[in-house]
Structure formats: C-alpha cells, structure tokens
Amino acid sequence: MTSQLPEKIVTRTVWISDIHLGYKDCKAEYLLQFLDRLECETLFLVGDIIDVWSLSRRFYWPEQHNKVISKLMTMAKHQCRVIYVPGNHDINFREFSGHIFGNIEVHRSYIHETVDKRKLLIIHGDELDSVVRFSRINKYIGDSAYDFLLFLNRWTNIIRKKFGYGYWSFAKYLKVRIKKAKKAIETFEDAAIDLAKKQQLDGVICGHIHHANIKEKDGILYCNDGDWIESCTFIAEDYHGTLAVTHWSETVQTAQMIDLAKIKRVA
C-alpha cells in the first residue's frame, strides 16, 4: 500500500499542530506514517496536540493515539529536539511553560531562527481569536457546523475508500469556497502578520484554523502548518532556510494510485 512513500524525510525543522488526539477524526495513522520517516533537528508541536475538550465530553483513545504519544516521546529522547507550544484545546498544559517533560520542552510561545537568520514567532494562534470577532452564539453555531462538516468528511471518505479512491478533504474543499469562512481565514492571517510586525520579527508560524498556507505580506512571512484532522499537513524548513507546506494525505494518495496502476499493468 505504501511502497512509494519516501523511506526518509530529512530536513532541519518541522512544524505540526492540531493533531487532536482523543478526537474521533484525528488521522493518527497518517501521522505515524510521517513520523516514522522523519529525521529532523527540531520538531515543533504547535498546539492542540491532545484534545482535552473532546476528551472531557466523551472519552475516546484508541491504540493509535497511544502510539503517537510514544513516538513523540521516543523522538524527543533519541532523535531530535521537541518543542511543545500548547493551544486552546490543550490549554491545561500552558501552566507548565518553561518546564521539560520526558525531554519535551513546553513553551507559551517561541522564537525560531532559520538558517538564513530570519526570526519567526511560534504561537498556536488562538491568541488572535479576539481579532476575528464572533459573538458567543456565532461561535457555538460555528463549532456545531464544523463538527457536522467533519461528519460529512468522514462519511465521504468511507464511501471513497469503498470504491478504491484515496483520502480527500471535503472539509477543506468547502472551507475555501464559502465566502465567510474565506474572509475569516484572511482576517486571521492579517492579524498574525500584524502581531509579528509589532514584535519586530520576520514572520510567524501558527496553526489553530486548520488551513495550511505560506504567504508574505508587507515583508512579513505568514505560515500555517494546518492540521491532522482535515488535510494532514506540515511545514518543513530545509538546510537553506526555505519553508514549504506538504500535504501528507496527498503523498499517501499518490503512492496508493501508483501501486494501483502497477497492479492493473500486471493484470
């Protein structure tokens, strides 16, 4: 199934966020495939790694989620520096900022310097929620609508799998086509850029809104590493200081399509 996936991903720095362990739509299998191949100097966990909110409503913790935690702990001990910046879904861990647990460093925020000496602010992104202004009722409706969207996403992919198709993010597809959602994303991105500018930094890397993107505005770099709920994305910095977004679900899907083509040729 995965013979065409890269054996190793060697890079300087990697950012992942919004894994949401403990939530039924977490793509832990995809994440483990990626982490098993990753070799980097520093791995940033940019918030919402464990979904405490979801666990408080309904306990859900399959073996794959245990394996993700175990893998991260092993990486921190033997492979690379792991820096954890908690988000709003795992906000409980912010009280441990400045501490180290199992070789994993916990920070409220962090400033990362790239190979080419750019200084980037690392935050989860919920700090900017006040800028994207919603009333309490709109926020509730938004959360409910998002849960329903992920429900549709889940069943869309169950049907696709039945017919031999790879994973596709229905949620991501709709998000960039609904005008209000697109406007909210743009407002969030502008707020992140303004924050980096106020702190006289070269850019910002965050998560939170589940929309991976890299862009530059007014000389400030904005990076969002996306999520492992909808699109399975990460940001990597190479040894020249170049940053790029990778959609791991698309990498896996391409590999599956290649393998399927081989089977058809043999047949």
Side-chain angles (χ1 to χ4, degrees), residues 1 11 21 51 55 69 90 104 113 125 129 132 167 184 225 230 248 251:
M1 173 179 151
T11 193
L21 295 169
D51 196 330
L55 287 169
I69 294 294
D90 48 12
I104 296 177
E113 188 170 309
D129 281 352
V132 186
Y167 177 80
D225 58 26
E230 299 171 34
W248 184 252
T251 303

Side-chain angles (χ1 to χ4, degrees), residues 17-32 48-51 54 60-62 64-66 68 150 154 167 210 227-230 232:
S17 76
D18 299 273
I19 300 171
H20 291 276
L21 295 169
Y23 184 61
K24 60 184 178 296
D25 285 297
C26 166
K27 304 296 185 295
E29 181 183 351
Y30 280 107
L31 181 59
L32 285 167
D48 288 2
I49 305 305
I50 298 174
D51 196 330
S54 180
Y60 175 81
W61 195 269
Q64 292 282 59
H65 293 204
N66 271 338
V68 171
L150 291 179
R154 188 161 61 250
Y167 177 80
H210 295 202
D227 67 283
W228 291 83
I229 290 285
E230 299 171 34
C232 304

Side-chain angles (χ1 to χ4, degrees), residues 20 51-52 153 188 196:
H20 291 276
D51 196 330
V52 178
N153 197 68
F188 177 89

Side-chain angles (χ1 to χ4, degrees), residues 6 29 32 35 56 61 64 93 104 113 115 117-118 144 149 189 194 199 202 219 224-225 227 243 246 251 253 258 260:
E29 181 183 351
L32 285 167
L35 292 176
S56 66
W61 195 269
Q64 292 282 59
F93 296 100
I104 296 177
E113 188 170 309
V115 173
K117 305 301 179 185
R118 288 177 294 174
S144 300
L149 189 59
E189 292 175 345
D194 287 343
Q199 296 192 21
D202 300 299
N224 193 302
D225 58 26
D227 67 283
L243 279 75
T246 297
T251 303
Q253 184 176 345
I258 290 170
L260 183 61

Side-chain angles (χ1 to χ4, degrees), residues 214-232:
I214 294 180
K215 72 177 189 181
E216 191 171 324
K217 183 178 179 182
D218 300 330
I220 304 295
L221 186 67
Y222 168 85
C223 305
N224 193 302
D225 58 26
D227 67 283
W228 291 83
I229 290 285
E230 299 171 34
S231 50
C232 304

Side-chain angles (χ1 to χ4, degrees), residues 28-44:
E29 181 183 351
Y30 280 107
L31 181 59
L32 285 167
Q33 286 177 336
F34 165 61
L35 292 176
D36 284 342
R37 290 161 173 79
L38 178 62
E39 290 185 11
C40 64
E41 294 179 10
T42 306
L43 172 63
F44 282 95

Side-chain angles (χ1 to χ4, degrees), residues 47-237:
D48 288 2
I49 305 305
I50 298 174
D51 196 330
V52 178
W53 288 10
S54 180
L55 287 169
S56 66
R57 294 195 301 267
R58 174 176 176 263
F59 188 80
Y60 175 81
W61 195 269
E63 182 58 26
Q64 292 282 59
H65 293 204
N66 271 338
K67 288 180 179 178
V68 171
I69 294 294
S70 179
K71 179 63 180 176
L72 292 172
M73 298 286 284
T74 300
M75 291 178 74
K77 189 174 181 180
H78 299 292
Q79 293 175 239
C80 62
R81 185 182 183 192
V82 178
I83 297 174
Y84 174 31
V85 179
N88 54 313
H89 282 254
D90 48 12
I91 197 169
N92 314 59
F93 296 100
R94 283 181 176 167
E95 64 183 274
F96 301 110
S97 295
H99 292 77
I100 298 175
F101 294 97
N103 292 89
I104 296 177
E105 302 174 31
V106 184
H107 294 270
R108 182 65 182 80
S109 62
Y110 195 86
I111 295 177
H112 171 75
E113 188 170 309
T114 61
V115 173
D116 51 2
K117 305 301 179 185
R118 288 177 294 174
K119 291 184 178 179
L120 307 176
L121 174 66
I122 315 300
I123 55 171
H124 176 63
D126 60 294
E127 299 90 340
L128 305 170
D129 281 352
S130 61
V131 179
V132 186
R133 298 176 189 277
F134 295 111
S135 69
R136 290 176 69 94
I137 186 67
N138 282 341
K139 188 176 186 300
Y140 173 77
I141 292 170
D143 288 344
S144 300
Y146 185 66
D147 285 342
F148 180 64
L149 189 59
L150 291 179
F151 169 79
L152 293 177
N153 197 68
R154 188 161 61 250
W155 279 99
T156 297
N157 281 288
I158 287 171
I159 295 167
R160 284 175 63 84
K161 190 174 182 180
K162 221 170 187 180
F163 287 93
Y165 294 100
Y167 177 80
W168 176 68
S169 179
F170 178 61
K172 176 188 168 188
Y173 175 83
L174 285 182
K175 190 184 288 185
V176 296
R177 284 163 177 80
I178 296 172
K179 192 174 180 181
K180 284 187 178 180
K182 192 175 178 181
K183 179 62 179 174
I185 289 169
E186 290 172 354
T187 303
F188 177 89
E189 292 175 345
D190 288 344
I193 288 168
D194 287 343
L195 180 62
K197 193 184 294 184
K198 284 175 184 174
Q199 296 192 21
Q200 298 183 319
L201 297 170
D202 300 299
V204 57
I205 299 181
C206 56
H208 189 47
I209 60 170
H210 295 202
H211 183 73
N213 193 21
I214 294 180
K215 72 177 189 181
E216 191 171 324
K217 183 178 179 182
D218 300 330
I220 304 295
L221 186 67
Y222 168 85
C223 305
N224 193 302
D225 58 26
D227 67 283
W228 291 83
I229 290 285
E230 299 171 34
S231 50
C232 304
T233 50
F234 65 92
I235 285 177
E237 176 200 4

